[in-house]
Amino acid sequence: MWVFRGGNPRAPSFYFHYHKSRAGDVAATFLDGYEGVVQTDGYVAYDFLDQKKEITHVGCWAHARRKFVDTRKAHGKNAKKAGSVDQTLKYIKEPYSIKRSAKKQQLSPVELQQLRQQEAKPLLDQMHEWLLKKSIHVVPGSLLGKAKKYTLNQWERLIGYVDFGHTTPDKNLAENAIRPFCVERRNWLFAGTPEGAQASATIYSLIESAKANQLELYKYLR
């Protein structure tokens, strides 16, 4: 089940799309003719977006952060190993602090973009320099090595959000819409037929779009 979130940021919509394949061709077909920003995680099927001149491909900090969090858990009380991870997580935390501050101030997209350029970008530049310096002292195949490699490989995408006031540092809004479908799937296990899967996609598109616009679901569906 592919899930797309888009539209007016103040009145977003979700589109659940069933397809038998996880190949990038599915997303490429859906986005054919689209111009603008597309935010994804680091799944290799999305690499084609980097070749599209009409599309700005933005990454997801939540996915990068998750890899460092998993590394931190694995290191446990080993202070020496955990120190490098904690510093990275501290760097990642700063853009989110700016995000919360901007939300309280109710900044416009233009004002938010300016704030990110002034405050978030210098911090991210520092983080990039620090990661490059530390990466040569880390075993590539270790959890920390993999986390740093992922972040550095995704860097141009990860910092892309600072150029747009209507984006967020991550794609958690889309992730949150996917979660109910995944939880329910454990209960009913199978759609039965492709037509059943398409019907589920239609229902979830309506429901998650309604939730995103603060509509009362039962009344909306009636």
Side-chain angles (χ1 to χ4, degrees):
M1 191 66 77
W2 294 75
V3 183
F4 301 86
R5 179 184 184 276
N8 187 331
R10 295 183 179 180
S13 59
F14 286 92
Y15 180 68
F16 283 65
H17 175 65
Y18 165 73
H19 197 281
K20 62 181 180 181
S21 172
R22 292 183 72 235
D25 290 345
V26 180
T29 299
F30 182 83
L31 293 169
D32 185 35
Y34 173 79
E35 297 181 10
V37 177
V38 178
Q39 189 171 34
T40 74
D41 55 38
Y43 180 39
V44 67
Y46 303 134
D47 287 353
F48 76 93
L49 292 167
D50 297 321
Q51 310 305 319
K52 296 279 188 179
K53 293 182 179 179
E54 66 276 16
I55 288 177
T56 300
H57 190 189
V58 176
C60 174
W61 273 107
H63 278 75
R65 181 182 182 277
R66 195 175 301 158
K67 295 182 183 300
F68 287 101
V69 170
D70 291 342
T71 303
R72 183 66 181 84
K73 290 178 181 177
H75 287 166
K77 296 181 179 180
N78 189 326
K80 185 176 180 181
K81 288 185 176 181
S84 181
V85 182
D86 289 342
Q87 179 59 45
T88 306
L89 290 172
K90 185 178 179 181
Y91 272 121
I92 296 175
K93 184 180 178 181
E94 291 303 321
Y96 284 91
S97 298
I98 294 171
K99 175 186 173 183
R100 288 190 292 271
S101 174
K103 188 174 182 180
K104 289 181 180 178
Q105 297 177 57
Q106 297 183 325
L107 300 182
S108 69
V110 173
E111 292 171 330
L112 179 54
Q113 179 187 359
Q114 293 172 345
L115 180 66
R116 286 173 173 173
Q117 291 288 340
Q118 294 169 1
E119 297 188 16
K121 193 173 185 305
L123 290 170
L124 292 172
D125 289 342
Q126 288 178 25
M127 178 184 177
H128 187 237
E129 185 177 346
W130 188 83
L131 282 174
L132 287 173
K133 189 181 298 182
K134 292 293 182 179
S135 62
I136 61 175
H137 302 295
V138 177
V139 178
S142 65
L143 283 175
L144 181 55
K146 291 177 180 178
K148 288 185 175 180
K149 181 180 179 181
Y150 176 89
T151 303
L152 288 172
N153 286 344
Q154 292 282 314
W155 191 258
E156 291 304 314
R157 298 178 188 175
L158 289 171
I159 63 173
Y161 84 96
V162 302
D163 295 324
F164 304 94
H166 60 277
T167 59
T168 59
D170 54 51
K171 64 183 192 73
N172 283 350
L173 291 172
E175 295 279 348
N176 292 340
I178 295 170
R179 192 168 292 112
F181 175 84
C182 295
V183 171
E184 299 258 343
R185 184 177 57 185
R186 294 173 191 163
N187 296 326
W188 39 261
L189 291 179
F190 307 104
T193 64
E195 290 78 11
Q198 290 164 6
S200 293
T202 300
I203 292 295
Y204 275 92
S205 296
L206 289 169
I207 288 176
E208 292 302 326
S209 294
K211 285 165 63 177
N213 289 276
Q214 291 81 50
L215 299 178
E216 189 175 332
L217 291 181
Y218 181 72
K219 287 185 177 180
Y220 175 71
L221 292 173
R222 280 289 298 267

